[in-house]
């Protein structure tokens, strides 16, 4: 479907319920909230389906917009959800099935009509375009939701996917009244003390190989308990070793509940995280991939170091 | 002067030497390099004066552009330099005096004709406008220099000063070929291992008062030696305590060479860093200020805690 067709579909419905993805981030939450607000402004009945995993930082953007179920006559729309496995726990619980999807993930596998905005680093950028096409006035509240989406999914305009259009979208949102500095302070310049303590422990125990080209961290489950770490606190902790100057292969190993060692690998060219993880039955993207190994963290550590050696890296 | 008059002045000269400020950052360096490249593209002779304090990350942008002195017939232009006290050590050494200034600091006190772009969060944004007015083609190299300036001075578009125009400037620079993701990775997503080790120590020794509303760190000079920390490594370390969630008054105390304790204070409203530091004979802005106290770090710690108590904060 074209974006215009998506817009017409949404407006034809008596009501719309919008789904967000599992472990929701600023993009799915901000996109859903903005779309909901836009449809309401056009006189439609619209809600965002509850998501029990909304974090403390994200929940305020959804205030007054959520409901726990899908009314009989409502169209169910998914934003930023790449597959059925990523539907939220609440969508699963009430059996909500997307009938229309707006996304920016190339490999979206939802079995419904959809618009995929290729080359858009956030779903929020697509929702902005959609709302503008529909003639929605960008209120400061809508602008905040979309700025949250655009900013968080691009690492505050840092990541490679950020385009000139992304910056032009940000410009329009700021002009519409988005509280950009406030949002950025909360999502990019503030760390909990627990997070800092965790980073201090990870720094102290980081293993470095191959002249500093490989960095490996093990994150024991008891640290998370001892430091009372929340989901917000460990946001993108998988990339921690990769942020060290000179590290081209950054590895994070976490002990997870069921005795598995979860390996996250972040790489810079010429190294390929997905090729490394594939050797352990995992997968992902060139720059970011993962695998899980039985035997907990110790076994995972041995397994990934073996993979590096077999790949010709001298440790 | 208007920006157009600045442009005419620059083009009338047989040659131009551009000055950068002391402890140069990405904005002064990128602005100077871009202006130099633009003037050369228009057939003028132009250089950036050497600055022995260019850091390893910044130096590559100046390659092939610098010279150690000012030719007899050259106009001396200052970019991003707010006062004579901020002239680089090299400018001081060769007695270079600015004859024309382009800046974005409201209180620029250089005694020469100048253009101050108020409301511009970086000098780079002004240089972009100037080069566009002069008809310079934005090559990828010029775009890189200006993106460096715009991005580093806005904390990658995070800080409050960032405007819609800033984002539109970034959009034009990306379209002109700026390697945005690469620059951002280097300046915002990469920390040296020494920096991480330093942050781990600061976290471990951070004092927290008033229910976490005050955070105080002492940075002993021997840590810098032990960890072989460079100037790049301690970039904006003064704000470290302030980045902790809940901290509204963040304090960094550094031992400096001459037996002084250097206090840096970062605050969030309603607290006023400059009012706090004024009580110790220091000063600065509402959100960021400093003071120096004889008796080293211990005396400085006592002094600033006293100031907080006298200001009605229960520790």
């Amino acid at each position: 479907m074209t974006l215009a067709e998506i817009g017409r579909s949404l407006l034809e419905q008596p009501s719309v319920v919008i789904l967000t993805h599992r472990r929701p981030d600023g993009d799915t939450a901000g996109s859903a909230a903005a779309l909901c607000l836009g449809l309401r402004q056009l006189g439609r009945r619209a809600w965002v389906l509850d998501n029990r995993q909304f974090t403390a930082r994200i929940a305020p953007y959804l205030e007054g917009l959520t409901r726990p179920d899908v009314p009989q006559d409502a169209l169910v729309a998914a934003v930023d959800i790449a597959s059925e496995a990523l539907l939220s726990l609440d969508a699963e619980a009430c059996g909500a099935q997307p009938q229309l999807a707006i996304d920016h993930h190339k490999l979206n596998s939802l079995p419904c009509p959809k618009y995929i905005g290729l080359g858009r680093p956030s779903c929020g950028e697509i929702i902005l375009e959609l709302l503008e096409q529909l003639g929605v006035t960008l209120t400061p509240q809508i602008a905040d939701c979309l700025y949250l989406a655009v900013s968080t999914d691009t690492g505050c305009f840092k990541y490679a996917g950020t385009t000139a259009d992304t910056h032009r979208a940000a410009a329009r949102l700021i002009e519409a009244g988005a509280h950009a500095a406030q949002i950025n302070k909360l999502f990019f310049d503030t760390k909990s003390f627990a997070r800092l303590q965790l980073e201090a422990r990870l720094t102290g125990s980081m293993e470095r190989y191959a002249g500093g080209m490989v960095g490996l961290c093990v994150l024991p489950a008891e640290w998370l308990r001892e430091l009372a770490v929340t989901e917000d606190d460990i946001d993108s902790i998988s990339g921690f070793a990769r942020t060290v100057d000179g590290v081209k292969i950054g590895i994070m190993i976490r002990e997870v509940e069921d005795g598995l060692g979860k390996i996250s690998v972040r790489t810079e060219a010429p190294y390929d995280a997905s090729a490394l993880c594939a050797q352990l039955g995992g997968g992902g993207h060139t720059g970011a991939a993962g695998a899980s190994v039985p035997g907990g963290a110790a076994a995972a550590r041995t397994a990934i170091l073996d993979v590096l050696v077999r790949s010709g890296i001298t440790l």
Side-chain angles (χ1 to χ4, degrees), chain A residues 5 10 38 61 92 126-127 130 140 142 144 175 184 206 212 225 232 234 290 295 303:
Chain A
E5 287 165 347
L10 288 168
Y61 294 89
E92 230 175 48
I126 305 168
I127 302 292
L130 174 63
I142 293 176
D144 274 347
E175 280 171 346
N184 293 332
M206 192 183 298
R225 285 192 295 272
D232 264 347
I234 52 169

Side-chain angles (χ1 to χ4, degrees), chain A residues 253-284:
Chain A
I253 293 173
R254 286 178 63 179
E255 291 177 5
V256 287
E257 303 304 316
D258 44 3
L260 286 179
K262 195 180 147 204
I263 304 167
S264 302
V265 180
R266 298 285 180 275
T267 54
E268 187 176 305
Y271 302 99
D272 179 343
S274 80
L276 295 171
C277 290
Q279 298 186 46
L280 298 172

Side-chain angles (χ1 to χ4, degrees), chain A residues 28 46 62 91 161 169 193 197 202 215 218 257 298:
Chain A
T28 196
L62 282 305
F193 193 61
Q197 289 176 298
L202 291 170
V218 178
E257 303 304 316

Side-chain angles (χ1 to χ4, degrees), chain A residues 1 34 52 104 109 116 130 154 156 165 190 200 208 297 302 311 313:
Chain A
M1 289 174 98
R52 66 195 70 173
H104 65 125
S109 64
I116 310 298
L130 174 63
T154 60
C156 206
D165 281 345
T190 303
R208 300 163 80 219
T302 308
S311 306
I313 295 160

Side-chain angles (χ1 to χ4, degrees), chain A residues 13-307:
Chain A
Q13 309 300 323
S15 65
V16 175
V17 170
I18 305 159
L19 305 185
T20 53
H21 65 65
R22 193 168 291 214
R23 301 187 63 194
D25 56 13
D27 192 21
T28 196
S31 293
L35 179 57
C36 180
L37 288 163
L39 290 173
R40 286 187 181 183
Q41 189 187 105
L42 297 173
R44 278 20 177 222
R45 289 184 296 135
W47 301 271
V48 176
L49 192 74
D50 276 344
N51 187 331
R52 66 195 70 173
Q53 293 182 311
F54 285 135
T55 64
R57 286 192 300 192
I58 284 175
Y61 294 89
L62 282 305
E63 221 181 281
L65 303 180
T66 55
R67 62 178 291 149
D69 52 14
V70 179
Q72 280 294 341
D73 63 351
L75 176 89
V76 177
V79 291
D80 198 38
I81 307 179
S83 71
E84 287 188 294
L86 292 172
L87 287 171
S88 70
L89 299 174
D90 297 73
E92 230 175 48
C94 71
Q97 287 296 333
Q99 296 164 275
L100 185 144
I102 305 170
D103 193 15
H104 65 125
H105 295 97
K106 194 165 59 178
L107 300 175
N108 186 300
S109 64
L110 289 181
C112 65
K114 60 188 102 168
Y115 174 79
I116 310 298
L118 293 180
R120 301 291 193 174
S122 69
C123 196
E125 204 175 312
I126 305 168
I127 302 292
L128 171 61
E129 196 182 329
L130 174 63
L131 296 185
E132 287 175 335
Q133 281 188 13
L134 295 177
V136 169
T137 302
L138 293 179
T139 63
Q141 187 184 7
I142 293 176
D144 274 347
C145 293
L146 290 177
Y147 187 91
L148 169 75
V150 170
S151 170
T152 55
D153 236 34
T154 60
C156 206
F157 311 98
K158 262 199 325 263
Y159 300 155
T162 306
T163 67
D165 281 345
T166 311
H167 281 287
R168 292 205 178 92
R172 299 204 294 285
L173 295 172
I174 288 172
E175 280 171 346
H179 298 82
Q182 211 169 303
I183 293 169
N184 293 332
K185 174 86 178 64
L186 186 63
F187 284 84
F188 296 105
D189 261 353
T190 303
K191 285 181 180 178
S192 68
F193 193 61
R195 167 69 178 237
L196 279 181
Q197 289 176 298
L198 186 63
E199 290 190 359
R201 290 189 185 192
L202 291 170
T203 301
S205 62
M206 192 183 298
E207 301 172 41
R208 300 163 80 219
Y209 300 103
M213 198 269 286
V214 175
L216 182 150
C217 292
V218 178
L219 172 47
E222 67 257 29
W223 286 6
L224 301 182
R225 285 192 295 272
E226 283 167 22
L227 300 172
V229 161
T230 67
E231 275 300 316
D232 264 347
D233 292 334
I234 52 169
D235 185 35
S236 57
I237 196 76
S238 299
F240 186 68
R242 179 65 189 75
T243 64
V244 177
D245 193 19
V247 169
K248 299 200 166 200
I249 303 177
I251 299 164
M252 175 66 70
I253 293 173
R254 286 178 63 179
E255 291 177 5
V256 287
E257 303 304 316
D258 44 3
L260 286 179
K262 195 180 147 204
I263 304 167
S264 302
V265 180
R266 298 285 180 275
T267 54
E268 187 176 305
Y271 302 99
D272 179 343
S274 80
L276 295 171
C277 290
Q279 298 186 46
L280 298 172
H285 308 278
T286 313
S292 289
V293 165
R301 178 181 167 281
T302 308
I304 188 70
L305 289 176
D306 275 356
V307 166

